[in-house]
Amino acid sequence: MQSIIETDHPATITWKQAMQSWAFKSWLIAGHLLFIVLLFVLPHFFDHIELRDGVPLYDPILILLPSIDLSTPIFICIWGIAALLLYRCFSSPAIMITALYGFLIVLFMRMLTISLVALDPPAGLIPLVDPLSNIAYGKAGFITKDLFFSGHTATMFLIFLCLPKRGDKLLALLATLLVGSMVLIQHVHYSIDVLAAPLFTWCCFWLGREIALSGWYKAAHIALAKEKVRVPVATTELREL
C-alpha cells in the first residue's frame, strides 16, 4: 500500500485543523477506547502466560554478560524518551495518532508472539523495577515470561520511528540501543527477543501509520493547499513519518 503521506508538502496539520475532521476524531476516540480495554486485558493475559510451562534457550551472548540490576537507568531512558514524544504530540496530531496506533498494534503483536512462543526466563534474570510499566502486570508486579519480542526495546524503537526531527530521532535511537543492551545485561530477555523487536516494530509502525492517517491527513493537506495556508514548520515531520 502506498503511503498516504505527502512527503513534499511544506505544511503540517495543527490540532485545530485535525479536530475539524470527523475521520480524525473517530480514529482518536477508537484508539483511546482500545487502549483502555487493553489496560484491563493485559494483567489477565500476563497472569495466564506466567503460569504456563516454557522452554529455556541457549544464548551464547547472555553467557558472556554479567547479571546487573539496571532498573533505574532503564526507567530513565524509557520515560525520558516517552516524555519527549508526548511533548512533540502537543504540536502534531499526526505524530500523536500514529504513535497511538503503532503502540496498540505492537501490544497486539506481542500478545500474539508471546502466546505462540512459550519461553522460560533466562538464567540470572533480575526483576526489572518500573512502577509505571509494571502496572500492566497486575497483581504479580513483574512477569518473567513475556519474552518474545522485547517490549522495552520495541517501545523505544517505535518512538524513534514516530519522532520527526533529526535530533530527536538520534536521541531516541541511542535510547533504543541503550535499553536493548541493558535488558540483556539484566538478563530480562534473550538476545533474540531484543534483535527481533525492531523488525516487528517497524511493521507495526507502518500499519499503524496507514490506519491512523487514513481518511483525513491527505484531505487536510489538500484543503490547506486550496486555502493557501502556510504553517511554518520543519518539513522533516512529513519526510520521516
Side-chain angles (χ1 to χ4, degrees):
M1 181 186 299
Q2 184 178 359
S3 175
I4 63 174
I5 299 176
E6 296 293 330
T7 57
D8 59 347
H9 201 288
T12 188
I13 304 302
T14 66
W15 274 98
K16 182 178 180 180
Q17 293 159 343
M19 291 302 291
Q20 295 174 356
S21 168
W22 179 87
F24 173 79
K25 289 186 287 188
S26 298
W27 286 123
L28 188 66
I29 294 171
H32 281 90
L33 289 176
L34 280 173
F35 183 71
I36 292 172
V37 170
L38 280 176
L39 288 180
F40 286 99
V41 171
L42 284 174
H44 301 287
F45 171 76
F46 287 130
D47 286 342
H48 168 71
I49 62 104
E50 191 68 9
L51 295 175
R52 69 179 180 176
D53 293 328
V55 296
L57 294 181
Y58 171 74
D59 193 327
I61 295 179
L62 284 188
I63 292 175
L64 299 175
L65 295 176
S67 185
I68 302 173
D69 188 351
L70 297 174
S71 296
T72 299
I74 291 173
F75 178 88
I76 293 172
C77 278
I78 290 177
W79 290 103
I81 295 299
L84 174 61
L85 175 66
L86 181 61
Y87 176 75
R88 298 305 183 200
C89 288
F90 287 133
S91 60
S92 174
I95 295 175
M96 187 273 180
I97 201 166
T98 300
L100 174 61
Y101 275 87
F103 186 63
L104 287 172
I105 297 175
V106 165
L107 289 178
F108 281 119
M109 182 62 71
R110 286 197 75 230
M111 292 174 72
L112 176 62
T113 56
I114 291 170
S115 298
L116 295 176
V117 184
L119 298 175
D120 278 341
L125 178 147
I126 298 176
L128 180 58
V129 179
D130 184 336
L132 297 179
S133 299
N134 289 5
I135 294 175
Y137 294 142
K139 296 179 180 179
F142 180 73
I143 301 298
T144 63
K145 296 183 179 181
D146 60 330
L147 296 171
F148 187 79
F149 50 95
S150 169
H152 294 88
T153 309
T155 300
M156 292 293 93
F157 193 68
L158 177 64
I159 294 175
F160 159 75
L161 293 172
C162 290
L163 288 171
K165 296 184 178 181
R166 181 178 178 83
D168 292 350
K169 293 185 78 69
L170 289 175
L171 189 61
L173 181 59
L174 176 61
T176 302
L177 296 173
L178 287 174
V179 169
S181 300
M182 288 189 289
V183 296
L184 289 179
I185 293 174
Q186 194 159 338
H187 289 220
V188 175
H189 281 284
Y190 293 105
S191 55
I192 188 61
D193 304 331
V194 172
L195 294 174
L199 176 60
F200 281 97
T201 305
W202 187 90
C203 295
C204 294
F205 164 78
W206 177 85
L207 180 58
R209 180 186 62 185
E210 295 298 309
I211 293 173
L213 301 185
S214 63
W216 69 275
Y217 192 76
K218 186 175 181 178
H221 276 300
I222 293 174
L224 277 179
K226 289 181 178 180
E227 296 171 7
K228 297 181 179 179
V229 176
R230 293 184 176 272
V231 181
V233 67
T235 58
T236 52
E237 177 187 345
L238 302 179
R239 187 178 304 114
E240 299 295 345
L241 267 178

